[in-house]
Amino acid sequence: MAARLSGKVAMVTGAAYGIGSAITRRFVAEGAEVLAVDVAESAVGGLVEELGRRVASARCDVAVGADVQAAVRRAVDTFGGLDIVVNNAAVGGESMAAETTQSEWERVLSVGIGGLFHTIRHATPAMRERGGGAFVNLSSMAASRAMLGMAPYAAAKAGVEAITRCAALELRADGIRVNAIAPGLIRTPVAQANAAALGRALSADLADYVGHRQGRWGEPDEVAKVAVHLACAEASLTTGQTYVLDNGATALA
């Protein structure tokens, strides 16, 4: 089978760990050249060492428009264009709505929603120059299912899905598709740490609760495979959609 992303250039935000690094690896395996960006510059540099010349890295805080603009420019200068952006960078929130500080609230939304705004703003012209492209935005089951202690994160992810729908309508004429993935519980170091912290704070084991409803933890590469599908030509008729990847957890709510 031919590589599904051959000849494509992608930028993956939050690429250092977990889902972001899995998507980077899967995209390279499918033939893409990838700019892996993260605030953890040394970690994304490790991906370059691991995956070779088809990956470049850059430090980028997606909450800062100038950082995103510079990252897009680096992708274009390094690989000759930009076809795909995966908006994976996010900051979690582990506090009740009434106990969340303003600085915590603003940081979660500035990364989760602000980062998406900045990438759409700065990457769209580069995609137009290539005749089209695809945004794949990471949402969460938290966008549609209430969970204690997750209000800031849930608000950010609900915003991701709303922007995905609006941008899909706005960019359809440019041949740019915009979709989202809403994973359930995925086995990443951050998710496992957050679940444990929430379990302690709420005197319940959130990982067991959600894991029982979902049936099992998902794996980062399972999300990466869906990202490839949404980024490639086989999903040419799909835009403005959120692909729920939670083994039926939200359907059973």
Side-chain angles (χ1 to χ4, degrees):
M1 181 182 294
R4 290 179 289 173
L5 298 178
S6 180
K8 301 297 183 182
V9 177
M11 182 173 84
V12 179
T13 73
Y17 305 105
I19 292 171
S21 63
I23 290 174
T24 300
R25 292 183 177 93
R26 178 62 61 175
F27 273 30
V28 169
E30 289 286 355
E33 294 173 305
V34 181
L35 180 69
V37 305
D38 202 291
V39 291
E41 187 170 13
S42 60
V44 287
L47 283 173
V48 176
E49 295 180 7
E50 174 190 343
L51 298 173
R53 62 180 179 80
R54 296 210 339 252
V55 179
S57 66
R59 185 195 179 281
C60 177
D61 182 346
V62 297
V64 179
D67 277 16
V68 176
Q69 186 177 30
V72 170
R73 188 181 307 116
R74 176 161 168 73
V76 172
D77 291 346
T78 303
F79 298 120
L82 184 62
D83 305 286
I84 303 158
V85 172
V86 178
N87 284 295
N88 173 67
V91 175
E94 297 88 40
S95 60
M96 301 294 196
E99 299 167 2
T100 301
T101 67
Q102 183 170 339
S103 62
E104 289 171 337
W105 173 261
E106 290 175 353
R107 181 58 180 166
V108 171
L109 269 66
S110 68
V111 173
I113 297 180
L116 177 54
F117 160 73
H118 292 310
T119 59
I120 290 175
R121 181 184 178 201
H122 294 297
T124 292
M127 290 185 184
R128 285 174 173 152
E129 290 183 6
R130 301 276 275 192
F135 288 95
V136 180
N137 307 322
L138 269 293
S139 180
S140 166
M141 67 182 289
S144 57
R145 175 172 173 77
M147 290 186 282
L148 292 170
M150 301 289 283
Y153 184 75
K157 293 307 186 181
V160 166
E161 294 187 12
I163 294 170
T164 293
R165 291 188 294 270
C166 291
L169 180 62
E170 295 166 356
L171 299 177
R172 183 174 58 186
D174 295 305
I176 298 172
R177 297 181 297 104
V178 190
N179 292 290
I181 304 172
L185 202 61
I186 303 299
R187 195 187 307 277
T188 67
V190 171
Q192 290 177 303
N194 288 348
L198 280 168
R200 289 192 297 271
L202 303 173
S203 300
D205 190 339
L206 182 69
D208 281 351
Y209 171 73
V210 178
H212 173 72
R213 181 172 292 276
Q214 183 171 296
R216 64 176 177 85
W217 286 77
E219 301 298 335
D221 192 55
E222 293 180 283
V223 183
K225 290 174 182 177
V226 175
V228 170
H229 168 71
L230 292 175
C232 77
E234 65 190 30
S236 62
L237 202 60
T238 305
T239 193
Q241 305 302 309
T242 296
Y243 191 115
V244 180
L245 196 64
D246 67 357
N247 200 27
T250 49
L252 296 171

